[in-house]
Amino acid sequence: MFASIHEWDIRVVDAVQRFQRPIWLDNFMATFTYFAHAGLIWLALGIILVLFVKCRRAGITLLLSQVIVIIGNELILKNIFRRPRPTDLNPYIQLLVERRANMGYSMPSGHASLSFAAALVIAYYNWRLGIIAYVFAALIAFSRVYLYMHFVTDVAVALFTGSAFAFGTIKLVNWIYTKKGNQPT
């Protein structure tokens, strides 16, 4: 079963590469994925939220979720799955972004997992902004497949891992605030 899923994954990412894509879309995807590198956009947002008392809990939750995702995905799950990236399997594809030497394994996608975790946290505190964050996260996830850095299943697993880590972080932060005598929001 896993072999057939892997074959399907390869067919999909290769098909995306064969489409005649406009240069503006290539540039958009490369730029878009750059802003999500290492969750920098989400870390910046978390820091901004922490600066405002009214948004502090959301900022703390966002920042903590990003740390937990990085530990869970990069240090644990990627080393369990040890899945090579599409570009490792087919080095003849001309990449639109530079492939760093220390990129590590493919599953789950760090960009997508960090983004879906952030989207869930944002939606928890403000559902309207959460919708925007989910659109942003979906675009980041698609950009990773588009740029030949991840398989579709890598970003699908990242949706679940990011969401699970974020959900756990929300529960943890609410528990801590409850222990301190503050009501959860």
Side-chain angles (χ1 to χ4, degrees), residues 47-64:
I47 291 168
I48 291 168
L49 291 173
V50 166
L51 296 176
F52 297 96
V53 174
K54 184 178 178 184
C55 303
R56 188 157 293 146
R57 186 187 297 193
I60 290 168
T61 307
L62 180 56
L63 291 172
L64 185 58

Side-chain angles (χ1 to χ4, degrees), residues 19-139:
F19 282 118
Q20 283 290 7
R21 302 179 314 202
I23 190 72
W24 68 265
L25 187 57
D26 288 352
N27 292 333
F28 174 78
M29 289 295 177
T31 302
F32 202 76
T33 205
Y34 174 78
F35 285 114
H37 179 67
L40 292 179
I41 194 154
W42 307 118
L43 292 173
L45 178 60
I47 291 168
I48 291 168
L49 291 173
V50 166
L51 296 176
F52 297 96
V53 174
K54 184 178 178 184
C55 303
R56 188 157 293 146
R57 186 187 297 193
I60 290 168
T61 307
L62 180 56
L63 291 172
L64 185 58
S65 74
Q66 298 297 285
V67 170
I68 291 171
V69 167
I70 289 169
I71 292 168
N73 278 351
E74 301 301 320
L75 299 179
I76 299 171
L77 293 176
K78 283 193 180 205
N79 287 306
I80 290 171
F81 290 119
R82 294 181 173 260
R83 186 178 197 188
R85 292 175 181 270
T87 186
D88 295 334
L89 299 177
N90 185 358
Y92 302 107
I93 295 289
Q94 183 178 356
L95 299 176
L96 298 173
V97 293
E98 182 180 338
R99 190 199 190 302
R100 298 179 329 275
N102 63 346
M103 283 182 79
Y105 297 110
S106 191
M107 181 181 281
S109 166
H111 285 72
S113 190
L114 289 165
S115 297
F116 285 115
L120 181 67
V121 169
I122 293 166
Y124 177 77
Y125 289 100
N126 184 315
W127 69 268
R128 286 184 179 106
L129 293 177
I131 292 169
I132 295 167
Y134 270 110
V135 169
F136 202 77
L139 282 170

